[in-house]
Structure formats: C-alpha cells, structure tokens
Amino acid sequence: MYAAAIAALSVTAAQPAAAQSNYDARFVAYPSYNGTDLELLVDGSGTHFKLWSPTAEAARVNLYDNGRTGAPYKTLEMTINPSNGVWSASLPERLYGKFYTFQIQNNGKWLDETPGVWAKAVGVNGKRAAIIDFASTNPEGWNSDKGPAVKNFSDVILYEMHHRDMSLHPSSGIANKGKFLALTERGTVSPQGLATGIDHLKELGVTHVHILPSYDYNSVDEANLPANQYNWGYDPQNYNAPEGSYSTNPSDPATRVREMKQMIKALHDAGIGVVMDVVYNHTAENDGSNFSLTAPGYYYRHREDGSWSDASGCGNETASDREQMANFIVNSVKYWADEYHVDGFRFDLMAIHDTETMNRVARELKQIRPDIFVYGEGWTAGDSPLAVERRALKENVSKMKDIAVFSDDIRDAVKGHYSNAEDRGFASGKPGNEETVKIGIVAATAHPQVDYKKGNNSKFPYAGSPEMIVNYVSCHDDLTLTDKLRKSMPDATDAERLAVAKLAQTIVFTSQGTPFMFAGEEVFRDKKGVHNSYKSPDSINAIDWNQKATYKDQFDYYKNLIALRKAHPAFRMTSAADIAKNLKFDKIDSRKQPNLISYSLLNNANGDQWAEIKVIFNGAPAAQTVSVKGGNWIVVARDGKIDPAGLGSSQGGKIEVAPYSALILARE
Ligand code: CA
C-alpha cells in the first residue's frame, strides 16, 4: 500500500497534540549542517566526501569501479567535525566514473552500506552512488533552457501523468516507450493519425505536466528490464537521482540524468512546464533506508513506545520538524529546480510536513525562480505525533505563503465520494452537493453567498486566496473518472457518461483556483475498473490512444474548455476579494431544482473582455429551465458543445439546459 493509494483520507477531527516523547527528544540536540556540499563534491582539488552522522562512532567510504558488483578497491576512513556532525574524507584526484558507499558504526556495529541520502547519480538499482561530471549530462542549449513564465498560479493548467501510461501502448506511435525520452519525440501519432505525446499535450493546451515520481524508487528491478514491471513510484529510495527504469540504460549513471534533462528541455521547448511529484513524507524501507543507515532514528517520527509512527500508511513517516530533515527537503527541491530546471513540486501527503518547513520550501524556491509552483495533498493517511496546528493541512493553508492544496471538496462533490465507487455527485445526478460545489467554484475562499456550514468536507473558508487551491475531479488515485461513472451510473449509456464527464471538467475548469486533470481523461481513459493501480500491469494503466479517434468529440470539448479558460481571466481571479465582488450566484431553490447552479462573473472580472459571463451547470438527469436576463448573449457552451469563439447567440429569457450539461453565455 502506497501513500497516494490511500492519500485521499482527510483529517476531519482535530486530535490533541501528542507530547514530545523522550525517545524523540534526544534528536533535538543533534547539530545540523545546511551546506550543499554534503556527501560528494568534485572540484579542482579532488574528490571530497562529507557525511552528516552526528552520533556515528566511526564512518568510512567504500570506493568501487562498478555500480553493482565487486569488492571495494579502496576504503577511506572519515573524521568527524563534532560542531556540525559531519564526517569527511578526501582524495586528490577527480574520481569520475567511480562509485561509492558510506558505512557508519553504530552501537559497536558496522551498519550496511548506503549510497547516502544525497546521491545525485547512482548505479543500477540505486545501491551505490556514482561520481559523474554533471556538466557532461547537459543537452545542447541547456544553459538557455527555461520553463514557461507563470504570472499567476491560477493561470497554470496541470496535467498529471505517469511515464509508462503516456507512451507504453502500441497506439502511442512513440519509440521510447515508458522512458523519459518518450516526451522528447515530436510528430508522433496514433494509428488514426492523431497527435500523441508532446504534440498531444500542445494540442490540448495544458501549461504544465505533473509527472508521477521520477526520482529513484525502490520497487522496479532496473537490472531486469524490459520486464513488464510497473509502479507509480511512491516508494522513495534515492531522492536526488532520477529513476533508472525510465532511462534507456539504467546501468550508466549519467544516462538517466541526461535523458531526464532532455525530456524537460523538450517540454520547455514546447512551452510546457514540468512539475515533479515529491514524496519526502516516508521512505520505502525503515531500518534499511538511506536515512536510517546514515543517522539511525533521526529522520523519522516515533511513537511514545519507540515504534515507527506511520502517518503515511506506508510503515513510517519522516520528521520535517527536525532541522536536518527540513534542510534535506529544502535543499533537495532546490537541487531539482537548479540542476534540472523543474518548474514546480507536488508534495505527497504534505500534511506530514510542518507548515514552517513548507513555507521555507516555497520561500527558498522563490529565490531561484519566483514562479515555481508548490502544492500538495493537505492531508495525512494516519495520525502523527506532529501537532495538528503545525501540519501542512488543507485547513492550515492560509498559514502558508505561496503554497496550494488540492480541493477534495470539489472532487467529491462533483463526482461522488472517492472511495465509495457507487456514490454519485452533483454532475452525475445526486442532489445535496450544491453548496459544496459552490465552495469549489469560489476556491474555498470566504464568499457572502456560500454557506460553509452546509459543506460536505470543509466547514469554513480555509483558503485566503484562490492561488491556494488546486481543483480536480480525479487523479492517479482511485477510479478514473470514466470508471467512476461506469460504477456509479451502471444503467446509464456511455453517451450519458461522456456528458457527465464533460460537465464535471467544465466545473473544474471554470472554477477559481488552478485546474488539474488526470492524463487520458480527455480520451475517456479507463483503468478497467481498478481502484488502486499502483502496481497493475500496463494493460490496466497504459492509455490507449486509439480512443482519441473514438472519443474525438470529448477531446475537442476538453481542448476548447482549456482554450476558454486561457482566453478569459475572469476564470482566473487572484484574490478572495475579487471573487467576492465579481462572482454572484443566482438564487435557485435546490429543493425544487436540485443539481442546478447558476452564477455570473461580472464587471469584466480580472480584466476580462467580457463584461459578464453566465455559467450554469445542470447535473440532473432531466433538462431544467433557467431564467437569464435579456441581452445580447454569445452562447459559449451548450448541449455538450463548447467554443470560446461562440456557438451562436441568445437574447436571454427562459432557457432550457440539457441533462448533465453546462450552459455558458457571455456578453461584451
Ligand atoms: Ca529505482
């Protein structure tokens, strides 16, 4: 069970803050070290090893010719600087091409070898760190490479994908299937001649890809490729090196680095930003993790009895509230932003981290590039010794600057409960979700017409700004939207489900905040009903690009929906005050007209060319009639069609809204 698989658990009741246990208290006295030269530095004077391990009794470096096999050709004894807990050893030559591990002595015993916590390049399966010349890994033009400039985070459109899902199916037409290089190939097409890969992303119009874990993770045997092994990658091993199975040669440490950079550069050249999914909240192993083998106990939280605390649901949880763990997280994301030009970070189970550390993450990233986007899951998967008020929870997002959280409010209200497959939501005909959808529409900000007491999940306006909210109806976790609609609408036709899917995404993409979609939903992707596909085979996970032709109408709708959002800043307001002033809900009695929401974006909101945009959602299985004031309206969306340039005109008055559909009107 991996974090993301159960990550949709919200913390609802506040627990009392657990007392700091005696077991943990001893770690507070550890000295910390915030230098970026930890573990390995190669410079003009040679190769320098530095290991942070304040309580080790001895430490050494083992040097190897090979990334996997053979005995060390040399072992270096290290010496400690007690003021910062850092052990050092140096050699006068530059050891490019060699590999190393650390070992510490703890309680009289030498622990297992570890590549350390700061390995930036590794041998196959990440057991030994590699010494490579990073300058040699830069693709042509790398020095001038940069992602798209982001003015406001509400301008971002996120597309969540997994490397294998995007390219593995034969219909992708992509040569480097399941690899970083898949997203460097241009001109790839489906059997029907429709764009796939990077060209597909450009055609769809998303601004950023959010890629499932791409750091080195534990579960896939890199030495045994190309077996049909699949994992989402929420089982971190080496946080600062790319995953080997996504490279064309996992045995060559430089290849994975170079190919990941090539991917990022190709996306940047296409005007698309790259967000990394980062999972600092837990590690795949407990006693065998690189954290445990370098500083036993320190990096994790424990219960009063000394056992592993487990807010991740994966067997352990890290301790961002300790100085050196905070240093690690901050320096790790800064490293990816610097060395790989990564444009954003999605924090898995972010509420396991403390708000102070998350604020430091955003603040220090901003010094590298002010438009790096940081967001995360504002919940945990279990209880934690970290006090509730310190957790980077959704409910605490207003304590964090320049950080956004996922809105489970809009997610569950629109499509139905995430884990109860049969449950329906606003868009699929279940009454009673209207107020929670409104919470989503205003991005969980305070609004005079939204009654948070009626909210299903959140009971107060937790977001101080729409830039603190990421809206979505589905992601890699739980059922795809297609599967959810098949399970919750068993008697419906696919035509009805396609209509519901359009409506659901129309709600997400017209709401305030940042919209997020799961890869392939624009082609009605399913996962054959599998709820948790974290290690399901490609036959479940891979996107079948033949469906782009089958569901061409769906794809076109998504494309136009994105174009509408991009063309109209009224959907992308940047302050709660603007939303309260410019977004007005029409009075609808939901007892008489359930599953109906109507609102206006007024006053040329946020500099929009349109004076007013009328947005109406009918999530009922029957048509409903609304009254729109008279005027010269452009019809932007109606009856499952959408076109930012207009589908026709309307004079207002009584208008029928088709079942499971959105009606969007605008006037100059
Ligand atoms: Ca790996």
Side-chain angles (χ1 to χ4, degrees):
M1 179 69 77
Y2 292 93
I6 51 168
L9 175 69
S10 272
V11 175
T12 46
Q15 301 94 343
Q20 180 90 354
S21 72
N22 290 333
Y23 187 84
D24 282 2
R26 66 190 168 104
F27 298 121
V28 177
Y30 278 35
S32 62
Y33 181 77
N34 194 30
T36 54
D37 59 346
L38 273 178
E39 302 197 0
L40 178 70
L41 178 72
V42 182
D43 64 15
S45 68
T47 303
H48 313 285
F49 301 96
K50 278 187 173 182
L51 182 70
W52 184 82
S53 185
T55 60
E57 293 136 17
R60 63 192 183 203
V61 185
N62 303 300
L63 293 170
Y64 295 92
D65 289 318
N66 184 292
R68 191 177 180 212
T69 56
Y73 72 86
K74 186 180 276 187
T75 294
L76 307 174
E77 300 304 323
M78 307 181 86
T79 54
I80 191 171
N81 175 350
S83 72
N84 59 15
V86 175
W87 296 79
S88 300
S90 284
L91 283 175
E93 56 273 28
R94 299 187 203 194
L95 298 176
Y96 289 136
K98 304 297 187 189
F99 296 81
Y100 65 93
T101 63
F102 296 105
Q103 260 184 301
I104 67 161
Q105 193 183 323
N106 184 53
N107 293 328
K109 179 173 163 265
W110 285 97
L111 301 188
D112 289 345
E113 293 175 60
T114 167
V117 301
W118 263 106
K120 294 169 181 166
V122 290
V124 69
N125 285 331
K127 300 296 186 196
R128 293 177 184 172
I131 305 172
I132 66 167
D133 178 6
F134 274 83
S136 74
T137 64
N138 294 342
E140 202 177 324
W142 187 243
N143 288 342
S144 56
D145 171 77
K146 60 177 183 212
V150 176
K151 188 164 164 247
N152 300 305
F153 294 137
S154 50
D155 299 339
V156 169
I157 295 166
L158 294 164
Y159 185 88
E160 186 200 40
M161 54 151 281
H162 181 281
H163 294 289
R164 288 181 78 93
D165 297 8
M166 275 304 277
S167 54
L168 210 97
H169 198 277
S171 62
S172 74
I174 290 171
N176 291 286
K177 290 184 170 57
K179 305 297 179 190
F180 292 124
L181 293 182
L183 284 183
T184 64
E185 296 179 36
R186 301 301 299 262
T188 59
V189 292
S190 70
Q192 298 78 22
L194 300 177
T196 61
I198 211 165
D199 289 359
H200 172 79
L201 298 173
K202 257 192 101 62
E203 183 185 9
L204 183 59
V206 296
T207 68
H208 287 63
V209 288
H210 151 153
I211 305 182
L212 261 63
S214 297
Y215 54 73
D216 183 30
Y217 58 80
N218 194 50
S219 49
V220 170
D221 182 2
E222 300 172 3
N224 187 24
L225 299 174
N228 182 20
Q229 293 182 69
Y230 183 98
N231 206 285
W232 284 344
Y234 293 92
D235 52 339
Q237 185 175 349
N238 291 294
Y239 284 102
N240 300 302
E243 161 61 16
S245 65
Y246 300 141
S247 84
T248 58
N249 184 4
S251 295
D252 175 33
T255 300
R256 63 179 78 185
V257 176
R258 184 180 303 113
E259 290 178 349
M260 187 165 171
K261 287 180 176 177
Q262 284 177 270
M263 175 195 77
I264 291 170
K265 176 148 196 320
L267 285 161
H268 284 172
D269 288 346
I272 297 168
V274 178
V275 174
M276 263 183 89
D277 191 339
V278 287
V279 189
Y280 297 106
N281 66 77
H282 75 278
T283 53
E285 305 270 349
N286 287 7
D287 287 320
S289 78
N290 297 327
F291 284 143
S292 293
L293 293 175
T294 55
Y298 178 86
Y299 289 103
Y300 299 95
R301 297 194 187 114
H302 302 86
R303 302 192 184 102
E304 289 286 336
D305 62 1
S307 62
W308 299 82
S309 187
D310 185 21
S312 70
C314 302
N316 61 65
E317 68 179 274
T318 57
S320 64
D321 48 324
R322 283 182 209 141
E323 184 69 20
Q324 193 64 13
M325 184 64 203
N327 290 342
F328 179 80
I329 295 173
V330 169
N331 289 324
S332 180
V333 290
K334 285 169 75 178
Y335 172 70
W336 286 104
D338 256 337
E339 181 69 33
Y340 288 85
H341 305 177
V342 167
D343 306 288
F345 297 92
R346 174 267 189 199
F347 275 73
D348 188 65
L349 295 179
M350 185 168 71
I352 292 178
H353 307 315
D354 59 297
T355 54
E356 301 99 294
T357 298
M358 289 312 304
N359 277 326
R360 200 180 140 198
V361 163
R363 189 172 66 242
E364 296 202 26
L365 283 173
K366 247 187 173 4
Q367 289 165 8
I368 296 174
R369 286 188 299 281
D371 55 0
I372 293 178
F373 190 18
V374 179
Y375 56 97
E377 294 181 307
W379 46 74
T380 67
D383 198 10
S384 169
L386 185 69
V388 171
E389 62 271 18
R390 293 187 68 191
R391 296 179 195 170
L393 283 166
K394 180 184 85 164
E395 291 82 356
N396 290 335
V397 71
S398 291
K399 295 181 189 171
M400 294 185 275
K401 191 163 161 46
D402 299 315
I403 290 177
V405 291
F406 286 102
S407 169
D408 58 347
D409 304 276
I410 198 167
R411 179 195 69 197
D412 292 356
V414 167
K415 72 167 183 188
H417 193 266
Y418 69 94
S419 69
N420 176 359
E422 287 77 34
D423 189 42
R424 293 193 191 191
F426 172 90
S428 45
K430 184 183 174 186
N433 293 294
E434 295 83 359
E435 206 69 18
T436 311
V437 173
K438 287 185 190 177
I439 290 173
I441 290 168
V442 302
T445 59
H447 189 282
Q449 293 175 289
V450 178
D451 183 357
Y452 278 80
K453 287 192 205 71
K454 294 183 190 161
N456 295 343
N457 294 8
S458 302
K459 300 295 182 189
F460 73 102
Y462 56 90
S465 149
E467 303 220 280
M468 294 178 176
I469 294 296
V470 175
N471 290 312
Y472 70 125
V473 284
S474 59
C475 65
H476 67 280
D477 278 326
D478 310 317
L479 296 172
T480 65
L481 187 54
T482 303
D483 284 331
K484 171 71 173 168
L485 299 178
R486 285 186 176 144
K487 294 220 176 185
S488 62
M489 304 177 71
D491 301 324
T493 62
D494 259 355
E496 284 171 305
R497 297 185 190 110
L498 286 158
V500 172
K502 285 178 181 174
L503 172 61
Q505 294 291 13
T506 307
I507 296 170
V508 168
F509 278 80
T510 52
S511 288
Q512 304 299 317
T514 301
F516 165 110
M517 65 180 288
F518 183 47
E521 294 199 325
E522 70 279 21
V523 300
F524 208 51
R525 170 204 192 162
D526 68 272
K527 290 197 275 190
K528 300 185 171 67
V530 175
H531 192 96
N532 180 4
S533 68
Y534 79 95
K535 62 172 187 178
S536 298
D538 296 314
S539 58
I540 300 295
N541 279 306
I543 299 170
D544 177 356
W545 293 103
N546 289 301
Q547 292 187 193
K548 189 169 175 182
T550 312
Y551 300 110
K552 179 76 167 44
D553 173 68
Q554 202 76 356
F555 173 80
D556 288 342
Y557 188 95
Y558 276 61
K559 183 177 79 170
N560 286 339
L561 177 61
I562 289 170
L564 173 69
R565 181 176 178 91
K566 285 166 102 170
H568 290 282
F571 299 114
R572 300 179 270 120
M573 286 185 263
T574 58
S575 79
D578 279 354
I579 296 172
K581 189 176 80 174
N582 299 322
L583 194 157
K584 292 273 182 274
F585 289 100
D586 297 310
K587 281 197 175 36
I588 287 169
D589 183 345
S590 57
R591 285 164 304 180
K592 291 182 184 147
Q593 288 192 295
N595 300 76
L596 187 67
I597 290 174
S598 171
Y599 68 92
S600 283
L601 300 166
L602 295 159
N603 312 320
N604 299 89
N606 203 19
D608 208 289
Q609 71 186 80
W610 284 337
E612 179 176 1
I613 305 173
K614 176 70 74 183
V615 184
I616 302 165
F617 304 129
N618 178 18
Q624 303 205 66
T625 302
V626 292
S627 289
V628 176
K629 73 176 173 195
N632 292 317
W633 294 94
I634 306 159
V635 178
V636 178
R638 189 174 187 174
D639 298 337
K641 301 279 175 216
I642 188 166
D643 187 343
L647 298 160
S649 60
S650 166
Q651 296 305 305
K654 290 213 178 305
I655 303 180
E656 193 171 86
V657 187
Y660 306 130
S661 79
L663 173 67
I664 301 176
L665 308 169
R667 55 182 187 82
E668 305 277 350

